[in-house]
Amino acid sequence: MSYDLILRGGRVIDPSQKLDAMTDIAFAGGKVARIGAGLKADGGCEARELAGAIVAPGLIDLHTHVYWGGTSLGIDAEDFCRRSGVTTAIDTGSAGPGNFAGFRKHVIERSQVRILAFLHVSFAGIYAFSSRVMVGESEEIRLMAPIDAVEVADANRDVIVGIKVRVGARASGRSGTVPLDIALQVAEQTGLPLMAHIDDPPPTYEEVIARLRPGDVLTHAFRPYPNAPVTAQGTVKQAVIEARRRGVLFDIGHGKGSFAFKTARAMLANGFVPDTISSDVHKLCINGPAFDQVTTMSKFLCLGVPLADVIAASTVNAAFALKRPELGSLKPGSVGDATILSVKEGRFDYVDVVGEHLEGDRRIVSEGVVIAGRWWHPNH
C-alpha cells in the first residue's frame, strides 16, 4: 500500500486503543492507514523522524470561541490550533440561529482546521462579550429562539454537534434556569447533547446538573467558589457524584473565570477526574490565564493526572461527548489527524482564574500537527 505520510519512531499514545508504544504510523487518503514498526515509504511518501516525540490523536478542544470577526470574543482558529496542537476546535455558542450562516460561510468552511459547533439557543449567540461591554445574552428571554435553533441545527447536522446555553448571575441574570429549560427542549427535539455553562449563582450548581441528561455536558465544572462542585470540607458534592453516575459529562472550560487549582486539587483528591479538558479560549483569556489547550492540559499533568489520562481527556473522551468516534483516535480508518507533543522538564509558572500560581515541573508543548493525513506544522 502506498502512503502519503509516515511518522517514524515516536512514542504513540492513543488512549482509544490503550496504546503506548514506540512505533510508526502511516496515513493515506486523509485517514490513518496503519500502525506498526518499520513501515516503508515509497517515492511519493513524506516520512518524518520523530524519535523522542509523542504522537497523539489530533487534539480536540471541546470548548473554544472561534467566530473571528463575527463576535467580539472570537479568536482565529487556525492561528490558535497551530500553536496549541488542536486539530478540531469546538465552538461553544459563539453563534446562535440568527448568525450561524455567517459563521459557517466565513469561518467554518474556509478553515483548514475542523470546526464543529454547539449552537446557542439565544438568537445571536454570545453577542456582547468584551472588556468594555458585557451583556448576558441569556438574561433577555426575548432572545431565546427555540424554533429557529431547531431549524438551523437540522439544516447543519454536519457541523452542529449540540446545543449551548449559558446560565448564572452573569449570563442569565434574574432569568435563572429558564434559558436552560428552553435549551433542553431544543436538545430533546433535535436529539443532540446540551452543553451548559455555569457561573455565579443563581442558579446553583446543583440546580443546573439536576436538569442535565445522560450525555449532556456541564462546562466550567471545576469552578472556584461560589458554585464550586466541592464542599468547604473538600468533599465532592453528592449531587455531582449522582450526576456523573447517570451519565452527565464534566468539562473543564478553563476560560477567564472558570478554573481554580483549589477546586481541582479537591476533586482529584477524591478521584474525580474531568471527562474532558478544554481551554474555553477566547479574546479575553488567550493571553492568560487560559492561554491555550496544551497549557490547560499541562496544569492537570502538574496536578498529578497521568499523561495518558490527560491525552484521553483531550481526544477519545471529547470524541465520545461529540458522538464522533472517528475523531480522537489513531485506529486505522480514523480521521487522519495527529498531534506531535513533547513534555519539557523544568520550572514553569501556571496561574488559575483567581490568581493562584502553581510552579510545575513539566510542560506539554505542541511540536507539530497532522491534518487529514498531511503535515501541518505550527510554524508554517
Side-chain angles (χ1 to χ4, degrees):
M1 182 176 179
S2 64
Y3 305 121
D4 299 318
L5 173 67
I6 296 176
L7 305 180
R8 285 208 180 104
R11 178 185 171 191
V12 178
I13 301 179
D14 180 7
S16 78
Q17 305 180 72
K18 297 184 169 49
L19 176 64
D20 185 344
M22 309 292 287
T23 189
D24 301 346
I25 179 165
F27 302 85
K31 297 186 181 299
V32 179
R34 194 172 173 193
I35 296 177
L39 297 183
K40 298 287 190 291
D42 60 22
C45 175
E46 180 181 8
R48 288 186 174 263
E49 300 295 333
L50 293 178
I54 294 163
V55 180
L59 298 184
I60 302 168
D61 192 338
L62 194 69
H63 191 146
T64 70
H65 292 282
V66 293
Y67 189 1
W68 184 90
T71 58
S72 55
L73 79 166
I75 55 111
D76 183 271
E78 290 190 5
D79 179 61
F80 167 73
C81 291
R82 277 192 184 94
R83 289 186 285 112
S84 198
V86 171
T87 62
T88 301
I90 313 303
D91 185 278
T92 54
S94 298
N99 56 348
F100 186 80
F103 184 32
R104 173 162 193 146
K105 180 176 180 179
H106 300 301
V107 177
I108 295 174
E109 291 180 356
R110 296 183 182 191
S111 175
Q112 293 183 61
V113 175
R114 182 182 299 98
I115 299 172
L116 303 172
F118 280 82
L119 180 73
H120 208 308
V121 70
S122 181
F123 190 70
I126 304 171
Y127 63 88
F129 191 101
S130 76
S131 56
R132 296 189 187 93
V133 176
M134 191 73 73
V135 177
E137 73 287 345
S138 298
E139 185 165 5
E140 179 51 86
I141 295 300
R142 289 179 300 174
L143 290 174
M144 294 294 112
I147 295 172
D148 305 81
V150 169
E151 290 173 351
V152 171
D154 281 341
N156 296 274
R157 289 272 173 173
D158 54 333
V159 293
I160 291 179
V161 292
I163 304 300
K164 175 74 185 289
V165 69
R166 298 201 315 143
V167 291
R170 291 195 292 272
S172 60
R174 287 169 292 181
S175 298
T177 58
V178 172
L180 174 58
D181 293 335
I182 294 169
L184 280 164
Q185 289 193 41
V186 176
E188 193 72 39
Q189 186 71 17
T190 56
L192 292 169
L194 177 78
M195 177 185 281
H197 152 117
I198 185 171
D199 54 65
D200 293 344
T204 65
Y205 199 109
E206 292 90 333
E207 284 176 300
V208 173
I209 57 174
R211 287 166 160 78
L212 299 184
R213 310 160 303 161
D216 287 342
V217 180
L218 180 78
T219 193
H220 312 319
F222 282 22
R223 279 183 42 75
Y225 174 87
N227 264 353
V230 286
T231 67
Q233 291 71 39
T235 60
V236 181
K237 291 177 177 176
Q238 192 59 36
V240 175
I241 295 169
E242 290 168 3
R244 168 163 278 182
R245 198 175 289 141
R246 71 171 190 274
V248 174
L249 303 175
F250 290 82
D251 174 58
I252 290 303
H254 189 305
K256 182 173 181 279
S258 304
F259 172 77
F261 288 130
K262 180 180 179 182
T263 302
R265 280 192 292 267
M267 296 295 276
L268 296 173
N270 284 278
F272 198 107
V273 178
D275 293 289
T276 49
I277 294 172
S278 65
S279 69
D280 182 19
V281 67
H282 55 70
K283 188 73 75 64
L284 302 186
C285 71
I286 193 168
N287 295 315
F291 296 102
D292 56 29
Q293 179 69 350
V294 284
T295 300
T296 310
M297 292 166 66
S298 298
K299 291 175 180 178
F300 280 88
L301 188 68
C302 293
L303 287 167
V305 178
L307 179 62
D309 293 348
V310 171
I311 291 173
S314 305
T315 56
V316 64
N317 294 5
F320 174 81
L322 299 169
K323 298 181 170 58
R324 296 286 180 107
E326 71 278 11
L327 302 176
S329 175
L330 292 172
K331 292 174 184 171
S334 299
V335 165
D337 292 356
T339 301
I340 291 78
L341 302 169
S342 62
V343 179
K344 308 293 186 188
E345 296 188 354
R347 296 171 67 181
F348 305 98
D349 179 54
Y350 299 103
V351 64
D352 68 5
V353 303
V354 295
E356 182 185 337
H357 287 262
L358 169 74
E359 185 177 284
D361 59 355
R362 288 172 295 170
R363 184 174 189 82
I364 300 170
V365 175
S366 169
E367 303 287 0
V369 175
V370 174
I371 291 181
R374 302 283 182 179
W375 185 257
W376 195 68
H377 196 273
N379 298 324
H380 290 184

